[in-house]
PDB file of all heavy atoms in Angstrom:
ATOM      1  N   ARG A 360     -52.263-157.815  88.553  1.00 85.00           N
ATOM      2  CA  ARG A 360     -51.912-158.984  87.736  1.00 85.00           C
ATOM      3  C   ARG A 360     -50.439-159.012  87.352  1.00 85.00           C
ATOM      4  O   ARG A 360     -49.876-160.081  87.140  1.00 85.00           O
ATOM      5  CB  ARG A 360     -52.767-158.997  86.460  1.00 85.00           C
ATOM      6  CG  ARG A 360     -54.256-159.110  86.724  1.00 85.00           C
ATOM      7  CD  ARG A 360     -54.585-160.367  87.494  1.00 85.00           C
ATOM      8  NE  ARG A 360     -56.002-160.521  87.768  1.00 85.00           N
ATOM      9  CZ  ARG A 360     -56.491-161.383  88.640  1.00 85.00           C
ATOM     10  NH1 ARG A 360     -55.675-162.159  89.320  1.00 85.00           N
ATOM     11  NH2 ARG A 360     -57.789-161.467  88.854  1.00 85.00           N
ATOM     12  N   GLU A 361     -49.819-157.843  87.216  1.00 77.00           N
ATOM     13  CA  GLU A 361     -48.422-157.796  86.777  1.00 77.00           C
ATOM     14  C   GLU A 361     -47.521-158.270  87.914  1.00 77.00           C
ATOM     15  O   GLU A 361     -47.504-157.678  88.998  1.00 77.00           O
ATOM     16  CB  GLU A 361     -48.039-156.375  86.375  1.00 77.00           C
ATOM     17  CG  GLU A 361     -46.683-156.257  85.701  1.00 77.00           C
ATOM     18  CD  GLU A 361     -46.651-156.870  84.305  1.00 77.00           C
ATOM     19  OE1 GLU A 361     -47.692-156.868  83.630  1.00 77.00           O
ATOM     20  OE2 GLU A 361     -45.577-157.344  83.907  1.00 77.00           O
ATOM     21  N   PRO A 362     -46.763-159.344  87.732  1.00 74.00           N
ATOM     22  CA  PRO A 362     -45.906-159.825  88.822  1.00 74.00           C
ATOM     23  C   PRO A 362     -44.792-158.833  89.142  1.00 74.00           C
ATOM     24  O   PRO A 362     -44.242-158.180  88.253  1.00 74.00           O
ATOM     25  CB  PRO A 362     -45.342-161.139  88.265  1.00 74.00           C
ATOM     26  CG  PRO A 362     -45.396-160.979  86.781  1.00 74.00           C
ATOM     27  CD  PRO A 362     -46.617-160.143  86.503  1.00 74.00           C
ATOM     28  N   THR A 363     -44.488-158.706  90.407  1.00 83.00           N
ATOM     29  CA  THR A 363     -43.420-157.827  90.863  1.00 83.00           C
ATOM     30  C   THR A 363     -42.324-158.655  91.503  1.00 83.00           C
ATOM     31  O   THR A 363     -42.607-159.562  92.283  1.00 83.00           O
ATOM     32  CB  THR A 363     -43.951-156.803  91.879  1.00 83.00           C
ATOM     33  OG1 THR A 363     -44.948-155.986  91.250  1.00 83.00           O
ATOM     34  CG2 THR A 363     -42.838-155.910  92.409  1.00 83.00           C
ATOM     35  N   SER A 364     -41.087-158.350  91.172  1.00 89.00           N
ATOM     36  CA  SER A 364     -39.950-159.005  91.816  1.00 89.00           C
ATOM     37  C   SER A 364     -38.887-157.969  92.113  1.00 89.00           C
ATOM     38  O   SER A 364     -38.570-157.139  91.258  1.00 89.00           O
ATOM     39  CB  SER A 364     -39.361-160.097  90.921  1.00 89.00           C
ATOM     40  OG  SER A 364     -38.171-160.601  91.497  1.00 89.00           O
ATOM     41  N   TRP A 365     -38.364-158.012  93.322  1.00 87.00           N
ATOM     42  CA  TRP A 365     -37.217-157.184  93.667  1.00 87.00           C
ATOM     43  C   TRP A 365     -35.973-158.054  93.739  1.00 87.00           C
ATOM     44  O   TRP A 365     -35.195-157.990  94.681  1.00 87.00           O
ATOM     45  CB  TRP A 365     -37.462-156.460  94.993  1.00 87.00           C
ATOM     46  CG  TRP A 365     -38.551-155.432  94.898  1.00 87.00           C
ATOM     47  CD1 TRP A 365     -39.096-154.914  93.751  1.00 87.00           C
ATOM     48  CD2 TRP A 365     -39.250-154.810  95.957  1.00 87.00           C
ATOM     49  NE1 TRP A 365     -40.083-154.008  94.044  1.00 87.00           N
ATOM     50  CE2 TRP A 365     -40.203-153.926  95.398  1.00 87.00           C
ATOM     51  CE3 TRP A 365     -39.177-154.913  97.342  1.00 87.00           C
ATOM     52  CZ2 TRP A 365     -41.063-153.148  96.172  1.00 87.00           C
ATOM     53  CZ3 TRP A 365     -40.026-154.137  98.113  1.00 87.00           C
ATOM     54  CH2 TRP A 365     -40.949-153.261  97.532  1.00 87.00           C
ATOM     55  N   ARG A 366     -35.782-158.851  92.708  1.00 90.00           N
ATOM     56  CA  ARG A 366     -34.656-159.779  92.716  1.00 90.00           C
ATOM     57  C   ARG A 366     -33.323-159.040  92.715  1.00 90.00           C
ATOM     58  O   ARG A 366     -32.303-159.631  93.089  1.00 90.00           O
ATOM     59  CB  ARG A 366     -34.741-160.710  91.503  1.00 90.00           C
ATOM     60  CG  ARG A 366     -34.646-160.032  90.151  1.00 90.00           C
ATOM     61  CD  ARG A 366     -34.775-161.015  88.997  1.00 90.00           C
ATOM     62  NE  ARG A 366     -36.097-161.602  88.917  1.00 90.00           N
ATOM     63  CZ  ARG A 366     -37.088-161.106  88.161  1.00 90.00           C
ATOM     64  NH1 ARG A 366     -36.909-160.006  87.449  1.00 90.00           N
ATOM     65  NH2 ARG A 366     -38.257-161.705  88.125  1.00 90.00           N
ATOM     66  N   ASN A 367     -33.306-157.775  92.300  1.00 94.00           N
ATOM     67  CA  ASN A 367     -32.051-157.036  92.232  1.00 94.00           C
ATOM     68  C   ASN A 367     -31.825-156.129  93.443  1.00 94.00           C
ATOM     69  O   ASN A 367     -30.835-155.403  93.482  1.00 94.00           O
ATOM     70  CB  ASN A 367     -31.975-156.216  90.945  1.00 94.00           C
ATOM     71  CG  ASN A 367     -33.244-155.429  90.671  1.00 94.00           C
ATOM     72  OD1 ASN A 367     -34.142-155.356  91.509  1.00 94.00           O
ATOM     73  ND2 ASN A 367     -33.340-154.833  89.490  1.00 94.00           N
ATOM     74  N   VAL A 368     -32.719-156.140  94.418  1.00 94.00           N
ATOM     75  CA  VAL A 368     -32.492-155.419  95.666  1.00 94.00           C
ATOM     76  C   VAL A 368     -33.309-156.105  96.770  1.00 94.00           C
ATOM     77  O   VAL A 368     -33.995-155.479  97.558  1.00 94.00           O
ATOM     78  CB  VAL A 368     -32.820-153.910  95.528  1.00 94.00           C
ATOM     79  CG1 VAL A 368     -34.292-153.684  95.273  1.00 94.00           C
ATOM     80  CG2 VAL A 368     -32.325-153.101  96.715  1.00 94.00           C
ATOM     81  N   SER A 369     -33.174-157.429  96.817  1.00 95.00           N
ATOM     82  CA  SER A 369     -33.959-158.220  97.768  1.00 95.00           C
ATOM     83  C   SER A 369     -33.667-157.843  99.209  1.00 95.00           C
ATOM     84  O   SER A 369     -34.532-157.980 100.084  1.00 95.00           O
ATOM     85  CB  SER A 369     -33.703-159.716  97.553  1.00 95.00           C
ATOM     86  OG  SER A 369     -34.188-160.134  96.293  1.00 95.00           O
ATOM     87  N   GLY A 370     -32.466-157.379  99.493  1.00 96.00           N
ATOM     88  CA  GLY A 370     -32.121-156.990 100.858  1.00 96.00           C
ATOM     89  C   GLY A 370     -32.922-155.831 101.384  1.00 96.00           C
ATOM     90  O   GLY A 370     -32.980-155.605 102.602  1.00 96.00           O
ATOM     91  N   ALA A 371     -33.556-155.074 100.495  1.00 97.00           N
ATOM     92  CA  ALA A 371     -34.389-153.947 100.915  1.00 97.00           C
ATOM     93  C   ALA A 371     -35.830-154.334 101.134  1.00 97.00           C
ATOM     94  O   ALA A 371     -36.541-153.676 101.893  1.00 97.00           O
ATOM     95  CB  ALA A 371     -34.325-152.826  99.872  1.00 97.00           C
ATOM     96  N   GLY A 372     -36.311-155.391 100.439  1.00 96.00           N
ATOM     97  CA  GLY A 372     -37.735-155.653 100.577  1.00 96.00           C
ATOM     98  C   GLY A 372     -38.267-156.837  99.814  1.00 96.00           C
ATOM     99  O   GLY A 372     -39.404-156.790  99.348  1.00 96.00           O
ATOM    100  N   GLY A 373     -37.526-157.900  99.673  1.00 95.00           N
ATOM    101  CA  GLY A 373     -37.986-158.985  98.823  1.00 95.00           C
ATOM    102  C   GLY A 373     -38.848-160.049  99.470  1.00 95.00           C
ATOM    103  O   GLY A 373     -39.589-160.740  98.793  1.00 95.00           O
ATOM    104  N   ILE A 374     -38.781-160.195 100.802  1.00 97.00           N
ATOM    105  CA  ILE A 374     -39.292-161.401 101.455  1.00 97.00           C
ATOM    106  C   ILE A 374     -40.820-161.500 101.438  1.00 97.00           C
ATOM    107  O   ILE A 374     -41.521-160.497 101.595  1.00 97.00           O
ATOM    108  CB  ILE A 374     -38.784-161.461 102.910  1.00 97.00           C
ATOM    109  CG1 ILE A 374     -37.262-161.657 102.937  1.00 97.00           C
ATOM    110  CG2 ILE A 374     -39.470-162.556 103.702  1.00 97.00           C
ATOM    111  CD1 ILE A 374     -36.658-161.610 104.318  1.00 97.00           C
ATOM    112  N   TYR A 375     -41.310-162.724 101.254  1.00 97.00           N
ATOM    113  CA  TYR A 375     -42.707-163.103 101.499  1.00 97.00           C
ATOM    114  C   TYR A 375     -42.728-163.943 102.770  1.00 97.00           C
ATOM    115  O   TYR A 375     -41.852-164.796 102.978  1.00 97.00           O
ATOM    116  CB  TYR A 375     -43.258-163.950 100.359  1.00 97.00           C
ATOM    117  CG  TYR A 375     -43.927-163.184  99.244  1.00 97.00           C
ATOM    118  CD1 TYR A 375     -43.199-162.389  98.380  1.00 97.00           C
ATOM    119  CD2 TYR A 375     -45.306-163.272  99.050  1.00 97.00           C
ATOM    120  CE1 TYR A 375     -43.810-161.689  97.345  1.00 97.00           C
ATOM    121  CE2 TYR A 375     -45.942-162.588  98.021  1.00 97.00           C
ATOM    122  CZ  TYR A 375     -45.185-161.799  97.176  1.00 97.00           C
ATOM    123  OH  TYR A 375     -45.810-161.110  96.164  1.00 97.00           O
ATOM    124  N   SER A 376     -43.741-163.755 103.623  1.00 98.00           N
ATOM    125  CA  SER A 376     -43.847-164.579 104.820  1.00 98.00           C
ATOM    126  C   SER A 376     -45.282-164.564 105.337  1.00 98.00           C
ATOM    127  O   SER A 376     -46.114-163.777 104.889  1.00 98.00           O
ATOM    128  CB  SER A 376     -42.888-164.074 105.910  1.00 98.00           C
ATOM    129  OG  SER A 376     -42.773-165.013 106.957  1.00 98.00           O
TER     130      SER A 376
END
Side-chain angles (χ1 to χ4, degrees):
R360 298 301 180 194
E361 189 70 30
T363 298
S364 173
W365 292 345
R366 63 182 67 93
N367 47 9
V368 65
S369 294
I374 293 175
Y375 269 70
S376 192

